[in-house]
């Protein structure tokens, strides 16, 4: 019986390039329009708000170069030390201007990378230990370039830079894990990277722990199988994507001739199924668990028959 499974992970590149408003300090409409004019900290600055509204209108109609020019115009109305969405106003405007220029000139333009690096360096002290979203977006501009030019090693490297800037942002970790699984040829040493961050006081999350198990598996660690069982038992309500990935690791290791291994897996899945909720994404988790268990049910029936169980 072949337990090998091919895991298909969707890469939402267009979405990730703009970032979800779930984590943003300001909303982003249609994944392209930075809605800055309604920021509460600048509502008394009428001239600035009016310019920002013009930029939003231009972007709404895909006139990105004009929107970028409005960002440059907005800087003239920005008061010293004024913030936008609780982030340094000039940083926000510079980052927004670069975003619109990238949309206007194309993400393969090498100048995007150079400009982003200049701004990253310019605001490094201001943004240090702040987790500013507009600062992280500067890294996104570089990441977009590497993705569009097919330089996935560069894409991975800039993703790690983003995580080093804000290691508590789950969105950046999700992207990192996705890249590790999508580009296995890069031989990314997840274990070393996560351990470096742990040394800085970062607390690991279940997806991080799963990626550590994946890293150990790639290095040929024979003890990873049992540890994945422990991980599953400790994370029964994990999201479907991580659940599928955990199953894919087990399916690559599981030996149908090893009855003890198969039984352990079957009963682990049974216990997980019994502990699942049946609403929301947990319902999908239950479907995945039962589907995985059904894959080895025939082997289990043979094992039970050999043991004299009916």
């Amino acid at each position: 019986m072949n337990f090998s499974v091919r895991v298909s992970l969707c890469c939402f590149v267009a979405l990730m390039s703009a970032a979800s408003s779930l984590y943003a300090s300001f909303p982003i409409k249609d994944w392209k329009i930075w809605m800055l004019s309604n920021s509460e900290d600048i509502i008394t600055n009428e001239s600035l708000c009016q310019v920002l509204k013009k930029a939003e209108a231009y972007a709404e109609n895909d006139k990105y170069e004009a929107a970028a020019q409005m960002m440059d115009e907005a800087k003239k109305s920005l008061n010293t030390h004024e913030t936008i969405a609780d982030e340094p106003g000039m940083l926000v405007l510079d980052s927004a201007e670069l975003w619109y220029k990238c949309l206007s000139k194309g993400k393969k333009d090498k100048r995007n990378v150079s400009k982003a690096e200049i701004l990253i360096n310019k605001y490094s002290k201001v943004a240090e230990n702040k987790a500013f979203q507009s600062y992280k977006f500067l890294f996104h501009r570089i990441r977009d370039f590497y993705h569009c030019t097919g330089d996935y090693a560069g894409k991975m490297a800039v993703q790690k830079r983003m995580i080093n800037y804000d290691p508590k942002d789950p969105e950046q970790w999700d992207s990192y894990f996705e890249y590790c699984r999508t580009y296995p040829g890069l031989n990314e040493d997840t274990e070393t990277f996560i351990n470096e961050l742990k040394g800085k006081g970062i607390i690991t999350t279940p997806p991080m722990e799963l990626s550590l198990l994946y890293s150990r598996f790639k290095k040929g660690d024979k003890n990873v199988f049992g540890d994945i069982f422990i991980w599953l038992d400790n994370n029964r309500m994990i999201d479907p994507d991580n659940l599928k990935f955990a199953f894919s690791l087990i399916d690559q290791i599981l030996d149908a001739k090893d009855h003890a291994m198969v039984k352990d897996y079957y009963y682990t899945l049974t216990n997980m199924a019994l502990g699942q909720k049946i609403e929301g994404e947990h319902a999908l988790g239950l479907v995945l668990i039962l589907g995985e268990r059904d894959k080895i049910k025939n082997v289990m029936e043979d094992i039970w028959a050999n043991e004299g169980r009916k």
Side-chain angles (χ1 to χ4, degrees), residues 174 177 181 194 205-212 231 238-239 242:
D174 288 346
F177 296 144
R181 300 167 191 179
I194 292 179
T205 62
M208 287 186 198
E209 293 162 1
L210 180 59
S211 284
L212 287 173
W231 183 89
I238 196 69
D239 64 274
N242 280 293

Side-chain angles (χ1 to χ4, degrees), residues 195-207:
N195 284 336
E196 286 175 357
L197 291 170
K198 285 170 66 178
K200 299 177 182 179
I202 300 303
I203 298 173
T204 55
T205 62

